[in-house]
Amino acid sequence: MTWSLFVAICVAAIASGTSIAFPALGEILAERSGVLNLGVEGMMLMGALAGYIVVVDTANLWLAFVAAILAAMALALIHAFLTVTLRANQIVSGLAATLFGTGLTSFIGKPFVGVTAPAVLETLPVPLLSDIPFLGDVLFNQDPVVYVSYVLAPAVWYFIYRTRPGLNLRAIGESPATADAMGVGVNSRRYLYILLGGAMAGVGGAYLSLAYSRTWIDGLTAGRGWIAVGLVVFGMWDPLRALGGAYLFGFVDGFQLRAQALGSTIPAFFLNMLPYLFTVLVVAISSGEKLRRKLGVPTALGLPYWREERT
Amino acid sequence: MIGLERRASLPLGRRIGILSVAVVAGVLTSGLLIWLSGYDPVKAYREIVQGSFGGGYALSQMVAASIPLAIIALGTAVAFRVQLWNIGGEGQLYMGAFAATGVELVGGPGGWPALVLIPAMMVAGFVGGALWAAIPGWLRAYFGVNEIITTLMLNYVAILWVNYLVYGPWKDPEGHNFPFSRRFPPAATFARLGEGQLHHGVWVPLIAAGVLLVVMQRTQWGYELRVMGENPQAARYAGINLRRNILLAMMVSGGMAGIAGMVQVSGVVQVLSGQISNNYGYTAIIVAWLGQLHPIAILVVSCLFGTLVNGGFAVSQVGIPQALGFLLQGVLLFSVLGIGDFFSRYRIVVRRESRVVSPPVPVLRTDEP
């Protein structure tokens, strides 16, 4: 592997990883509050399509990202209503959200397949920093959304571990009854973090359709929402680890794409399998039962909370 | 003051009534979405009903679409019974179809009679799906690895693997470069029943439902699974081998999906390709859940969802995207979850503020997993 190829793969790794990093950070917030959101894939698709439609109609990227966030949040709101207010099974509700998002985007998105977007997210080299050899090319010659993710991951980390609302967030995920007794509103906060998680999934989806793939096709996300959920496990509910995991995934993804472009003798089908096998592998190595007990999986994850039934 | 109260039990009639309300609400909501998307909901629903109930051909297509749904869902129900979320039905279906086709590639040219070849393919389908499900099953049973992510990721891998085969080594040399395997000989296919796609594989889900009923209700293994599902702690103290049963439940679940793959290639498609399933593996999850994991109910619900899958084809004939079928599935699941499930578990009660509040009476939680 030549040096320039390695650099190219690293550049692709950051871009590909960013599309996973946003939903993974959002999922961390939701899961920390005690609610599993398996609808990430559907919410990413909602964001990807809404963003794409708005760009095709208005050529305005700002509006596109706003639309993506709103569309994904709308689906997140349904999930929040079902799981928090109606205390439905979180797994089934999340699956329903993914099925609904997949079906709706495929249904509405039909006329937009093959339509070229009039504006896409262009790279914006950071002055000075982008001149650093290697690191400048890889990290600071990207588009603005990537730079946002550099700030967002440490910000979410700081929020969770170093602020009072972050402490409350961890409390409602660990022991909602205790948090409730302390006067922390469990349900309102769970709504908030599910919606925030949805918004970030929407950004990740729009990043795919407007920056990474720059097109709309049916099922554009190809499992990235699920991979984001897997990376949360890998990242042990820690935003910085999850970001690292997203870049690791991006590297595998970038590698398989480049290898195909270089005409590797390995059939493309096997290279395409790599990101999925990678996800199985990282989830497997990071979730041994003994390990998990040490690592802070939110204790109340997956359990609905109802004040009248607390024990 | 309006409050909620947990129901202790619910008669079957009431339960069906609540579910019906949920389905009607789902149909109305979807109608609104269809209308907002610029299509005519009345026309869409008419096509869906016509496409599945308007005559012998339509019925045949609908039942044919229900067959794989029912088979996978019956297996999924076994895994769900022990709280194993097997979302990998789609991949297990493909691996079953792959294994069955492998047997066909040996037995077909070898001139095996149908009475040998079909059962051999079916066993291969079961084994293919079961082994594919054994990977996440083993990881879950022995290392506590979340099976939701692993089963789902392996779906993509399985479909890529089948695509590799039909674009490469297994491509029909006389197939005009289409990504299909060689067409199955008659000895490897289920004979058609009537004019549509309905075929003799229709007996498979019926037999499987009967077998599962007996296994779950009358055998020790079924009893162990039920205990594990109701109360894992009690199961552990009773000396039930949890790990082995988790692995086995996962393999039975995957094996059924594998049989569905075999039935699908042998009965409907009659070649192996990368498009033998219409997301059946995902739809079957809803079917199993809505059928409350009960074999007979699953057979009924799979016909409802067969109607939706088939309805997707029907509406695509009149210019409405086929994805409508999946949209309807998602909305129906939401409405059943929101309305049906909620009102089956709770009831709304109006309490008078002035009355002395009595201490809460512990309610036996029979309806919670």
Side-chain angles (χ1 to χ4, degrees), chain B residues 201-268:
Chain B
V202 70
W203 308 116
V204 175
L206 299 179
I207 296 166
V211 171
L212 277 178
L213 261 180
V214 173
V215 168
M216 292 308 285
Q217 302 293 335
R218 292 275 179 272
T219 67
Q220 181 176 347
W221 189 63
Y223 174 73
E224 288 187 6
L225 288 194
R226 281 186 293 137
V227 174
M228 282 171 64
E230 297 290 332
N231 191 337
Q233 290 278 319
R236 196 191 309 269
Y237 293 134
I240 292 172
N241 188 336
L242 297 185
R243 291 189 162 159
R244 196 198 57 174
N245 280 345
I246 285 176
L247 180 58
L248 280 179
M250 201 71 173
M251 288 178 76
V252 167
S253 172
M256 293 294 288
I259 287 184
M262 177 273 167
V263 169
Q264 188 66 7
V265 286
S266 202
V268 177

Side-chain angles (χ1 to χ4, degrees), chain B residues 5-366:
Chain B
E5 208 172 86
R6 199 180 267 276
R7 287 182 197 269
S9 68
L10 187 66
L12 184 67
R14 185 82 64 82
R15 191 181 287 258
I16 291 173
I18 291 173
L19 274 178
S20 310
V21 172
V23 169
V24 170
V27 167
L28 292 177
T29 314
S30 308
L32 187 67
L33 282 172
I34 298 168
W35 181 69
L36 287 174
S37 309
Y39 301 100
D40 178 359
V42 178
K43 186 170 144 195
Y45 284 132
R46 198 174 50 223
E47 286 300 320
I48 289 174
V49 174
Q50 279 287 319
S52 289
F53 298 99
Y57 176 80
L59 268 175
S60 157
Q61 296 296 92
M62 184 273 279
V63 178
S66 313
I67 295 172
L69 289 179
I71 304 175
I72 305 171
L74 287 168
T76 307
V78 173
F80 282 10
R81 176 70 66 193
V82 282
Q83 315 277 328
L84 278 175
W85 296 94
N86 176 11
I87 318 293
E90 189 79 356
Q92 291 144 13
L93 179 149
Y94 272 91
M95 292 315 265
F98 145 70
T101 307
V103 170
E104 187 277 326
L105 286 175
V106 176
W112 298 8
L115 269 178
V116 178
L117 188 51
I118 295 260
M121 286 170 68
M122 200 172 280
V123 170
F126 182 89
V127 172
L131 289 180
W132 196 242
I135 302 169
W138 175 72
L139 287 172
R140 165 64 201 266
Y142 292 92
F143 304 98
V145 177
N146 182 327
E147 74 283 4
I148 298 175
I149 311 285
T150 49
T151 50
L152 199 112
M153 288 295 113
L154 289 177
N155 285 344
Y156 293 94
V157 177
I159 294 170
L160 284 166
W161 166 244
V162 167
N163 267 313
Y164 160 71
L165 289 174
V166 298
Y167 275 92
W170 284 10
K171 182 154 75 179
D172 182 2
E174 286 139 39
H176 306 286
N177 226 15
F178 281 112
F180 299 139
S181 73
R182 196 170 45 85
R183 184 158 280 280
F184 289 8
T189 52
F190 286 112
R192 291 281 161 91
L193 282 159
E195 49 190 323
Q197 286 186 329
L198 185 59
H199 52 85
H200 274 288
V202 70
W203 308 116
V204 175
L206 299 179
I207 296 166
V211 171
L212 277 178
L213 261 180
V214 173
V215 168
M216 292 308 285
Q217 302 293 335
R218 292 275 179 272
T219 67
Q220 181 176 347
W221 189 63
Y223 174 73
E224 288 187 6
L225 288 194
R226 281 186 293 137
V227 174
M228 282 171 64
E230 297 290 332
N231 191 337
Q233 290 278 319
R236 196 191 309 269
Y237 293 134
I240 292 172
N241 188 336
L242 297 185
R243 291 189 162 159
R244 196 198 57 174
N245 280 345
I246 285 176
L247 180 58
L248 280 179
M250 201 71 173
M251 288 178 76
V252 167
S253 172
M256 293 294 288
I259 287 184
M262 177 273 167
V263 169
Q264 188 66 7
V265 286
S266 202
V268 177
V269 203
Q270 306 193 346
V271 293
L272 182 66
S273 88
Q275 278 142 4
I276 54 171
S277 169
N278 204 358
N279 283 340
Y280 290 125
Y282 297 103
T283 303
I285 299 165
I286 316 179
V287 173
W289 191 78
L290 290 183
Q292 310 258 305
L293 313 186
H294 190 280
I296 306 300
I298 284 174
L299 291 182
V300 176
V301 177
S302 61
C303 284
L304 171 66
F305 279 79
T307 305
L308 295 181
V309 172
N310 198 36
F313 291 119
V315 294
S316 67
Q317 305 297 317
V318 294
I320 300 172
Q322 191 179 340
L324 178 61
F326 300 112
L327 174 61
L328 283 170
Q329 290 175 22
V331 175
L332 276 180
L333 187 53
F334 268 144
S335 69
V336 170
L337 202 56
I339 299 172
D341 191 43
F342 181 72
F343 287 104
S344 304
R345 288 184 298 145
Y346 301 95
R347 64 168 161 231
I348 295 177
V349 287
V350 182
R351 302 188 196 102
R352 286 228 200 91
E353 290 280 12
S354 58
R355 280 174 60 182
V356 178
V357 181
S358 54
V361 181
V363 180
L364 201 61
R365 291 165 67 165
T366 51

